[in-house]
Amino acid sequence: MRDDATGRTLTTREPRRIPWLDLVFGFGPMVPIAVGAAVAWWLNGQPLDYLVALFTLLYAASILLFLAGVRRGVSFRTEGGPQVSQLVTMLILYGLGLASLFTAVMGKAVPALAMLILGYAAIGILDPIAARAGEVPLAHARLRPLQMPIAVVSLAALLWLKLTAPY
């Protein structure tokens, strides 16, 4: 690192492999989404299935909001400064997460789940592209396509449950 009166120059090296902490903190937050969807299916038609599904939806929204913040945080260390694509992606992810929270609170789980599915799918598709462009860590090119389908499939299962529920 070189620091002078005009700023700081950083030289970094990032691995192409997924660091073990990224595995822990990448897949760990997906577990409650998958478990919540499984429990909601198991409780289907019983009194608590709605609450389990709602809590899973709210948790998934909070993780999507966190991932939007991660995208913004990474942009601070992007060579050449934040890129427009990073900021647009962050705003879209944040908007989807926030809108899904508001929609869920208003009792509209189906559109909330649809927004979450769109947000998680976008990360799974866009992060490998952004990794090649130097806008996110290289490891995201391998991590996100493995990580995001867990959320997408789990949320799609909740969506199906909601679409077929008698209430």
Side-chain angles (χ1 to χ4, degrees), residues 123-146:
I123 294 170
I125 294 166
L126 296 176
D127 268 17
I129 296 166
R132 287 189 289 278
E135 296 175 1
V136 300
L138 282 172
H140 286 196
R142 295 180 64 207
L143 175 65
R144 297 300 195 221
L146 300 172

Side-chain angles (χ1 to χ4, degrees), residues 69-156:
V70 167
R71 181 59 76 107
R72 177 63 178 129
V74 168
S75 76
F76 290 117
R77 294 293 184 171
T78 300
E79 189 173 351
Q83 303 298 306
V84 172
S85 59
Q86 289 172 306
L87 300 176
V88 169
T89 303
M90 179 270 302
L91 288 171
I92 290 170
L93 295 175
Y94 186 80
L96 288 169
L98 192 60
S100 70
L101 278 177
F102 289 153
T103 308
V105 168
M106 293 188 306
K108 306 292 184 191
V110 170
L113 287 164
M115 286 184 268
L116 290 173
I117 291 168
L118 180 61
Y120 282 100
I123 294 170
I125 294 166
L126 296 176
D127 268 17
I129 296 166
R132 287 189 289 278
E135 296 175 1
V136 300
L138 282 172
H140 286 196
R142 295 180 64 207
L143 175 65
R144 297 300 195 221
L146 300 172
Q147 177 192 24
M148 293 303 123
I150 297 168
V152 170
V153 169
S154 300
L155 294 167

Side-chain angles (χ1 to χ4, degrees), residues 10-14 77:
L10 301 173
T11 303
T12 62
R13 175 152 171 69
E14 57 183 26
R77 294 293 184 171

Side-chain angles (χ1 to χ4, degrees), residues 12-27:
T12 62
R13 175 152 171 69
E14 57 183 26
R16 290 190 186 279
R17 66 169 178 70
I18 303 169
W20 74 272
L21 272 179
D22 285 11
L23 290 172
V24 171
F25 291 116
F27 288 105

